[in-house]
Each structure stands twice: as structure tokens, then as C-alpha cells.
Amino acid sequence: MKRRVGKMEIKIVRDVLEKNKELAVQVRARLRKKNRTMFNLMGSPGCGKTALLEKLIPMLKSDELRIGVIEGDVATLNDSLRLQELDVPIAHISTERFGSTCHLGANVVLGALELLEDENMDLVFIENVGNLICPAEYDTGAGGNIVVISVTEGEDKPLKYPQIFHKTEVAIINKIDLVEPVGADLNLLKENIRKVNPSSKIFEISARSGENMEPLREWLQERHGELLIDRK
Ligand code: MG
Ligand code: ZN
């Protein structure tokens, strides 16, 4: 009997991921129709995803890019309240209402995009739920997947949570202004990211001080353009 239960569980997980894939296709179609691109920001709680958006969005807006945000958190509107200062359209997903799931699936992203349908947006950021594990499992339909890791988290995290580093094209190392005080080994962290994903592009920034934000902004603009061309 035990074995049977095990098989059923496996089947359920497969079904959920299959269904998610189908919905991600719908997300992509919706983005294509509106000529929008989407970037999925993932990373552990406190790595600085919101702080990064606070710094980055005004920079991108000054380049005449119209930005929108899909915010995911288990509880509180805290991050959306911070970002609303930037005067961008935001759809907030409280996963508390969906069983407190620790990631955003394509189903809720699709719902958020429907809410934002009539907003003026070229580029949409998803701030995923703070978590290094299952957001990597769920395709949100975003064209770009990015992981944020701060120097305070420990250099071995890419080795401990390889999947998220494997599935992202960019790793943003945040809080480089704290390298000295916490005694972080930046080279080892980069080495470990490359061990898991040799083709990962790495940016070293401080969202707080604004250090090194320029190359990241340039990359995002470029990637936004590429993603628009790719689908033509
Ligand atoms: Mg946040
Ligand atoms: Zn999860």
C-alpha cells in the first residue's frame, strides 16, 4: 500500500508541473500579443530583490522603458507598498490565499497579467516569493530568469541549491558593499556559481549604494530587445 501511495504522489507532482507548463505557454502568448517582455527575479528572503527593483526601475524608466511589477509574497503587502513609490503598475499576489505556496506558478502570473492588461508596460518584473528551491521548478512564462544572491548568504549556496543557479541565465551578486564587514569570499562565490552553471552571466552590485548598477541596466535593455526580436 505504501508503494501505491508513493506512485500517486509522483503522479500528482507531474500533473501539477505539466499543467503549469501549459499555463506558461499562455503567459508567453499574452506577453507576445502585447509586445512585452518579462523577467523573473528569484532569490532567498532578504537577498535584496525589492531593493534591486527600487534602484533599477527608475534607471530603466529614464530610458523610456515602461515597467510593470508582479509581486509575490506569502503575506503582507510590504514590498508592493515600497515599490508603489516608483509610480509603476503593480499586481500583488499574496500566496496566503493560495495555500501559502512558496513560489509563483504560471496560474497566478497569468491572473496578474490579466489584471495589468490595460497598463502601459514594455517590461514586467516578477519578484518571486523569497525561496531558493521551488521557484526554479515552476516556469512562470518569463523570457528571462534571474537569481539574486547576497554576499551574506554564504559562498556554498550555489552548490547547495544548484537547480536555481542552473535554470537562470544571470546571477546577480548583491550587497558587495558588505564583502569586507562579513568577510565574504567573492571569488569563491563566483567560482561556485560557475561550477553549477558555466554560462551564467554574473553581475556584482550593491542595490543599496548603487554600485555597479550600470552594466546590469545595459544588459537588461539589451536582453529586452533580444527577447522582442526572438519572437518575431
Ligand atoms: Mg522582496
Ligand atoms: Zn514552492
Side-chain angles (χ1 to χ4, degrees), residues 122-138:
D122 307 305
L123 190 160
V124 182
F125 284 109
I126 297 175
E127 182 183 339
N128 217 310
V129 180
N131 180 350
L132 278 178
I133 307 169
C134 45
E137 288 268 5
Y138 287 81

Side-chain angles (χ1 to χ4, degrees), residues 160-175:
K160 281 188 168 174
Y161 305 96
Q163 203 184 17
I164 201 160
F165 289 89
H166 190 68
K167 288 205 170 170
T168 44
E169 58 181 314
V170 166
I172 299 175
I173 300 176
N174 190 24
K175 308 189 189 176

Side-chain angles (χ1 to χ4, degrees), residues 16-29:
V16 168
L17 288 175
E18 277 310 308
K19 180 78 189 150
N20 187 72
K21 254 189 213 163
E22 287 165 25
L23 290 166
V25 170
Q26 289 182 39
V27 168
R28 277 187 261 276

Side-chain angles (χ1 to χ4, degrees), residues 64-128:
E64 318 255 302
L65 269 179
R66 298 170 303 176
I67 310 292
V69 179
I70 296 173
E71 258 301 331
D73 258 317
V74 175
T76 81
L77 289 169
N78 290 358
D79 291 357
S80 289
L81 292 172
R82 279 167 69 183
L83 294 177
Q84 79 174 1
E85 301 294 316
L86 306 176
D87 196 26
V88 289
I90 303 171
H92 189 97
I93 302 163
S94 281
T95 68
E96 228 170 12
R97 301 173 58 196
F98 309 96
S100 296
T101 50
C102 41
H103 60 270
L104 297 182
N107 56 339
V108 287
V109 171
L110 193 61
L113 280 178
E114 274 166 22
L115 284 174
L116 295 170
E117 182 76 6
D118 297 326
E119 299 288 347
N120 292 318
M121 310 184 298
D122 307 305
L123 190 160
V124 182
F125 284 109
I126 297 175
E127 182 183 339
N128 217 310

